[in-house]
Amino acid sequence: MTWKSQAVAIFRICYFNGWLGLRRSPIAFIALFLTPLSFLFFLYVIAPHSVLPFGVVGGIMFSALFTGNAMMNDCAYLRLERQIQQIFITSPLRPMSWILGMALSELVFTIPGLVLFFAVLFLVVPVGILTILALVGVVLLTWLMATSLGFLLSTFFRQLREIWPIGMVVFTSLSVIPPIFYPIAEIPATFRWAAFLAPSTFASQLAVRAAGLKVPIIGSAPFLSSIAFEVIGLVVLTLAFTIASMRLARWREP
Amino acid sequence: MEGLVARGVSKTYRGQRGTVRALDNVDMTIAKGRLFGFLGRNGAGKTTFIKISSALLMPTSGTVELFGLDVVRRAGEIREQIAIVPQEAKPFYHLTPREHVQEYLRVRGVSPEAAKNRADEVLTAMGLQAYQSMPAMILSGGLQQRTLVAMVLATEAPFLFLDEPTLGMDPFARRQVWEVIRQAARKGSTVLLTTHYLDEAEQLAEELAVIEGGHVLYQGSAEALKSKVRREVRIQFSGGFTAQELGRYGDVYPDRAGLTLLTTRNVVEELTQRALERRVPVNVGPVTLEEAFLTLVGRAIEDEDPEAAT
């Protein structure tokens, strides 16, 4: 198959798994943005209103990160329960095209929630076109990182019952515990560096900067507090997870 | 060039409860363009062989070549040539049969117009046109299975793997699917069909292999396999007789309904008369592939082996 055919295949997978899935089962996208919306609601009720913009940016990042959880669930379900992934991968379709098609289809489910959070962001902070472009860029890198990780994990499951607990542990660790919904300044200065042990922190801090919110000093080395550190971290991690998903993903059972 | 050549293929599954040898030194050759039947009981090793041959599973040892390409080392090129219906696969719940067929063809690089035409053709041939716009979630199990088979047969791939393609279908639907499989073979596809419906193998396969416990016990034509049975007549007794009593007339095997006796013509009248006296239903017919399988394997094809792998 030519590159053009592979590109068509990616968009067809996105169309039938994402767009048709969303149109025929809209409850799925409501379920996806309900969790970050609930967090935002709690912040609104219990936290000072100065924290609210962090919650909105957190909602955007949470939505992008949870595409990884959806990817892991979908791919494991299609491979183990429906076994239809086998029909697609025993074809001229390249493994990367299947991963990208599935990842794009997960993004389709997330777009309504992202639009909602971007609209709320307009209400709580002054947002210009550059802010939107920067945030979209961060969201896309985060989506690629999360879906690559989700796909990689999905290939290691042997039965469906393993998915739920592992998904909860991995994606809660990535999206709730690190400073996604709260300012990193809430972590004592001595331990702020530890937040970067979670790959999602690079993305969330970049998103916070893009939205024009304040990022405190992270550690004694000035580089740790720089935008370059966050950009390099996010790009390197995204590349690492993408390459790992291509190379380590098990297209053939051992 | 051969369609498939397997040499010394073995597969051992290692799990927490020990190891299971699913395939043991399997040699097999399938000529290009041949419609080949692979028979065996559940757990005999059919699916494992198909998974290895379609680059979905690594063999423990041995090699499989498809059209001269090694399935381990040249999986990418192999995938260009094949399509597979996995055993017990299910369609996307939200897509219709037409969307399944058309979208799968588009993903494989078929143009929109050709995909539409082929979908029209295969949906009609498989009796799915009345259901083509219904989401799979509201279709019966048999119609869902037909949808998957339609997806794969519409590809016209040079090598088609069909793992129990008619499982759960009614007899009429099975015949429709058989016709489409025959058409695929007529168009030049090599077809490897696993089944435990022996009538299906007899109707479709130009050549077949029988596998039991990971070993290939037979490869050849259905007729040659049947000729291995030295008896001409099969009488099935639904109770009323013991194996010992029937043993002096021929070979006796237990089956689901009671006992099957493979015997000669000259005792049919006597035995049916005795069955009538005992008011026992009997079924008399010529020896079929079922009896040939029973003779070769020593067990009926429906017998489950709970210890076996797939």
Side-chain angles (χ1 to χ4, degrees), chain B residues 141-161:
Chain B
L143 287 169
Q144 291 190 12
Q145 179 69 8
R146 259 194 272 176
T147 301
L148 292 174
V149 177
M151 267 172 90
V152 167
L153 290 178
T155 64
E156 299 177 359
F159 204 112
L160 296 167
F161 293 96

Side-chain angles (χ1 to χ4, degrees), chain B residues 165-205:
Chain B
T166 60
L167 204 66
M169 290 185 198
D170 61 66
F172 181 70
R174 284 175 66 206
R175 277 175 176 74
Q176 281 182 312
V177 173
W178 292 354
E179 192 42 44
V180 185
I181 294 172
R182 281 194 198 101
Q183 274 175 25
R186 278 199 290 269
K187 285 181 181 172
S189 294
T190 308
V191 182
L192 174 53
L193 164 91
T194 78
T195 181
H196 62 270
Y197 296 126
L198 291 167
D199 58 332
E200 184 163 286
E202 201 162 5
Q203 286 286 328
L204 286 177

Side-chain angles (χ1 to χ4, degrees), chain B residues 5-197:
Chain B
V5 179
R7 293 189 201 94
V9 179
S10 296
K11 179 69 189 176
T12 303
Y13 291 106
R14 291 183 173 81
Q16 288 170 338
R17 288 190 291 170
T19 59
V20 177
R21 199 156 174 84
L23 289 178
D24 193 4
N25 210 20
V26 167
D27 292 320
M28 203 157 74
T29 303
I30 301 175
K32 193 177 173 187
R34 182 70 48 94
L35 207 167
F36 192 92
F38 201 24
L39 303 179
R41 297 181 306 120
N42 280 340
K46 306 184 296 291
T47 297
T48 297
F49 184 79
I50 280 214
K51 281 184 172 175
I52 290 171
S53 305
S54 56
L56 285 170
L57 182 70
M58 284 295 283
T60 307
S61 60
T63 59
V64 180
E65 284 181 4
L66 239 75
F67 302 127
L69 303 170
D70 184 279
V71 295
V72 172
R73 281 177 292 141
R74 299 176 75 177
E77 289 159 86
I78 297 281
R79 289 183 182 122
E80 301 262 346
Q81 313 265 343
I82 63 174
I84 178 173
V85 179
Q87 193 179 9
E88 293 175 5
K90 298 175 198 85
F92 288 96
Y93 74 99
H94 66 284
L95 298 184
T96 66
R98 171 170 286 280
E99 285 162 348
H100 274 95
V101 176
Q102 250 174 253
E103 292 302 331
Y104 185 51
L105 291 175
R106 295 297 315 281
V107 164
R108 291 183 67 107
V110 176
S111 71
E113 200 180 331
K116 187 187 172 298
N117 292 341
R118 276 202 227 166
D120 285 339
E121 215 174 280
V122 79
L123 290 169
T124 306
M126 304 227 347
L128 282 168
Q129 68 277 45
Y131 312 96
Q132 62 175 324
S133 304
M134 297 180 185
M137 68 181 137
I138 63 165
L139 300 178
S140 68
L143 287 169
Q144 291 190 12
Q145 179 69 8
R146 259 194 272 176
T147 301
L148 292 174
V149 177
M151 267 172 90
V152 167
L153 290 178
T155 64
E156 299 177 359
F159 204 112
L160 296 167
F161 293 96
L162 309 175
D163 196 358
E164 305 278 0
T166 60
L167 204 66
M169 290 185 198
D170 61 66
F172 181 70
R174 284 175 66 206
R175 277 175 176 74
Q176 281 182 312
V177 173
W178 292 354
E179 192 42 44
V180 185
I181 294 172
R182 281 194 198 101
Q183 274 175 25
R186 278 199 290 269
K187 285 181 181 172
S189 294
T190 308
V191 182
L192 174 53
L193 164 91
T194 78
T195 181
H196 62 270
Y197 296 126

